[in-house]
C-alpha cells in the first residue's frame, strides 16, 4: 500500500499571505506614493513565482544545489563592489543594479547558508561533536559569506546569519560547551567591529540614551518611540500617521512597524505579533515532523530566520535593541526580501506536504 502524506500546511501559507497584504497596505499608507506600492506589487508577482517554485520543487533537490548556490551567492556579494554593477546607497554597497530590478545578494545569502548548514549537519552526523572535523569546517564556510556581508557594511544581516547558524548547529548536535566558546568568540568579534566603525558606535550610543542625543544620533529612535506611544490602543487611523512626515526615517522599510503601531494602535501591532507567532509555531511543528534530518534542519533554519528577523525589527522599533537595519520580513518595502522570504515559505510548505500520515 503506497504511503499517504499530509496536506500542505495551508495555515502557514494563509498567515504569510495576510502579512504580505498588511505590508502592501502599510507601504502605501506610510509613503502615500503609488510608485512604492507599484514597485512592491511588481516584486510580489515575482515573489509569488518564487513561492510556487519552493512549493513545487522537492526540497531534497537543494542538496545538489548547495555548492553552485553558495558560489553564485559569493560572486553576487563580490559584484556589489564593482562600479556600474554594484549599487551604493547610504554609504553601503549592498545591491546589484540589473536595470530592471535592484537585487540584494545578502537576502539570498541567508537562504543559501541555511541550505548549506542543513546539508552539512546531516552529512557530518556524529562528527558534529568533534569541533575540528565537524563544526569547524562548517563555520569556516559560513564565515566567508559573513565576511563579505560585513564588508558592505551590513553588520545587522551578518549577525542574523550568525544567530541562525548558532541555533542550527546547536540543534544539529554541537556540544553545549563548544557552542558557548564559539558564542563568546563571536561576541568579541562583534565588539571589535563596532569599536572600529564610528557609525556602529553611534548606534550603540543612540540605543543607550536616545533622549540625550535626540537632535542627533538618537533622533530616529526617539521618533520611533513617539510613533509607537501616540498610537494608543486603537491607533490614529489608517493613513493618519504624523511621524512619517519627515520625522521617522524609512517609514515604509525599517520602521514600518512603528507606523503600524501609530496608525493601528496596540491592537494592530498585536495582530502582527500573533501572525509571526503562528508562523514560528507552525514552522517548528513542520521541523519536528519532517520526514528526515535534512528536512528538519532546513525547516528549523527557515523558521529561525523568519522569527529572528521579525523579533529584531520590532525590538529596534521599541528601542529594546540597537538599530540593525533589518526590515520587517513580509511587510517592509523591498523586492529581494519579499522574493526570498516567500520562496522560503514555499520550501516550508513543500516539507510539510511530504510528512507521512
Amino acid at each position: 500500500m503506497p504511503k499517504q502524506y499530509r496536506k500542505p500546511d495551508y495555515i502557514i501559507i494563509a498567515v504569510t499571505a495576510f502579512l504580505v497584504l498588511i505590508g502592501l497596505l502599510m507601504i502605501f499608507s506610510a509613503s502615500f506614493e503609488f510608485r512604492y506600492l507599484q514597485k512592491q506589487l511588481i516584486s510580489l508577482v515575482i515573489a509569488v513565482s518564487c513561492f510556487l517554485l519552493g512549493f513545487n520543487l522537492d526540497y531534497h533537490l537543494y542538496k545538489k544545489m548547495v555548492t553552485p548556490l553558495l558560489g553564485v551567492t559569493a560572486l553576487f556579494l563580490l559584484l556589489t563592489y564593482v562600479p556600474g554593477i554594484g549599487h551604493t546607497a547610504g554609504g553601503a554597497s549592498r545591491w546589484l543594479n540589473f536595470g530592471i530590478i535592484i537585487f540584494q545578494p545578502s537576502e539570498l545569502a541567508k537562504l543559501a547558508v541555511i541550505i548549506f548548514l542543513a546539508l552539512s549537519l546531516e552529512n557530518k552526523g556524529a562528527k558534529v561533536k568533534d569541533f575540528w572535523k565537524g563544526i569547524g569546517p562548517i563555520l569556516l564556510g559560513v564565515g566567508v559569506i559573513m565576511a563579505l556581508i560585513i564588508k558592505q557594511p551590513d553588520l545587522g544581516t551578518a549577525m542574523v546569519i550568525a544567530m541562525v547558524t548558532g541555533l542550527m548547529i546547536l540543534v544539529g548536535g554541537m556540544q553545549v560547551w563548544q557552542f558557548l566558546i564559539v558564542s563568546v568568540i563571536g561576541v568579541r568579534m562583534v565588539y571589535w567591529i563596532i569599536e572600529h566603525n564610528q557609525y556602529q558606535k553611534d548606534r550603540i550610543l543612540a540605543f543607550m540614551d536616545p533622549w540625550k542625543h535626540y537632535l542627533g544620533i538618537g533622533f530616529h529612535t526617539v521618533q520611533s518611540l513617539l510613533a509607537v506611544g501616540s498610537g494608543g490602543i486603537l491607533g490614529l487611523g489608517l493613513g493618519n500617521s504624523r511621524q512619517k512626515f519627515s520625522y521617522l526615517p524609512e517609514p515604509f522599510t525599517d520602521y514600518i512597524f512603528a507606523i503600524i503601531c501609530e496608525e493601528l494602535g496596540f491592537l494592530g501591532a498585536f495582530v502582527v505579533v500573533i501572525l509571526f507567532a503562528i508562523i514560528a509555531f507552525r514552522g517548528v511543528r513542520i521541523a519536528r515532523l519532517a520526514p528526515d534530518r535534512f528536512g528538519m534542519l532546513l525547516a528549523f533554519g527557515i523558521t529561525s530566520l523568519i522569527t529572528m528577523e521579525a523579533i529584531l525589527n520590532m525590538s529596534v522599533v521599541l528601542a529594546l535593541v540597537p538599530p540593525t537595519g533589518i526590515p520587517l520580513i513580509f511587510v517592509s518595502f523591498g523586492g529581494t526580501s519579499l522574493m526570498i522570504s516567500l520562496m522560503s515559505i514555499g520550501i516550508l510548505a513543500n516539507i510539510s506536504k511530504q510528512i507521512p500520515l
Side-chain angles (χ1 to χ4, degrees), residues 193-302:
I193 293 170
I194 292 173
E195 276 291 302
H196 289 78
N197 288 276
Q198 187 58 47
Y199 86 98
Q200 295 289 357
K201 285 184 182 179
D202 290 343
R203 286 183 171 187
I204 299 297
L205 288 173
F207 163 69
M208 293 176 66
D209 192 353
W211 298 98
K212 182 180 179 181
H213 307 280
Y214 74 96
L215 290 178
I217 56 178
F219 183 79
H220 298 169
T221 304
V222 169
Q223 296 304 319
S224 177
L225 290 173
L226 289 174
V228 172
S230 62
I233 300 296
L234 300 177
L236 302 178
L238 193 62
N240 291 329
S241 166
R242 295 186 290 261
Q243 299 307 115
K244 66 185 177 186
F245 294 109
S246 302
Y247 293 105
L248 194 61
E250 310 296 341
F252 47 91
T253 54
D254 294 358
Y255 286 92
I256 197 167
F257 186 67
I259 303 300
I260 291 174
C261 292
E262 185 181 13
E263 295 189 351
L264 305 181
F266 172 80
L267 289 180
F270 182 71
V271 169
V272 171
V273 171
I274 290 298
L275 292 174
F276 278 112
I278 292 172
I279 290 178
F281 174 79
R282 303 296 297 190
V284 170
R285 180 176 178 272
I286 292 170
R288 182 174 58 83
L289 298 174
D292 51 46
R293 183 171 169 80
F294 176 69
M296 181 274 288
L297 290 166
L298 184 57
F300 179 78
I302 290 172

Side-chain angles (χ1 to χ4, degrees), residues 86-127:
H87 178 77
T88 302
S93 302
R94 302 176 186 172
W95 301 270
L96 293 177
N97 189 347
F98 290 131
I100 300 175
I101 61 169
I102 302 294
F103 184 78
Q104 189 172 358
S106 59
E107 292 294 334
L108 175 63
K110 297 172 189 175
L111 182 57
V113 165
I114 289 171
I115 296 172
F116 166 72
L117 286 167
L119 179 60
S120 299
L121 290 168
E122 181 192 45
N123 289 341
K124 293 293 182 182
K127 289 182 181 178

Side-chain angles (χ1 to χ4, degrees), residues 34-170:
F34 276 109
R35 66 189 180 102
Y36 290 110
L37 178 61
Q38 185 181 36
K39 286 182 179 179
Q40 193 73 351
L41 286 170
I42 293 172
S43 296
L44 180 58
V45 173
I46 303 173
V48 170
S49 300
C50 292
F51 164 79
L52 293 174
L53 177 65
F55 181 76
N56 291 299
L57 189 66
D58 186 341
Y59 72 90
H60 296 97
L61 294 176
Y62 295 108
K63 292 182 178 183
K64 300 177 181 179
M65 303 180 189
V66 170
T67 301
L69 183 59
L70 279 179
V72 169
T73 300
L75 176 62
F76 280 178
L77 288 170
L78 287 170
L79 286 176
T80 59
Y81 307 113
V82 178
I85 300 176
H87 178 77
T88 302
S93 302
R94 302 176 186 172
W95 301 270
L96 293 177
N97 189 347
F98 290 131
I100 300 175
I101 61 169
I102 302 294
F103 184 78
Q104 189 172 358
S106 59
E107 292 294 334
L108 175 63
K110 297 172 189 175
L111 182 57
V113 165
I114 289 171
I115 296 172
F116 166 72
L117 286 167
L119 179 60
S120 299
L121 290 168
E122 181 192 45
N123 289 341
K124 293 293 182 182
K127 289 182 181 178
V128 168
K129 297 186 181 300
D130 184 328
F131 182 84
W132 299 111
K133 294 181 180 179
I135 294 299
I138 295 175
L139 293 180
L140 181 62
V142 176
V144 171
I145 298 296
M146 286 178 56
L148 292 173
I149 294 173
I150 290 171
K151 180 66 176 174
Q152 291 183 337
D154 189 357
L155 182 59
T157 296
M159 288 180 65
V160 167
I161 291 176
M163 288 185 282
V164 172
T165 298
L167 290 172
M168 287 187 70
I169 61 177
L170 190 60

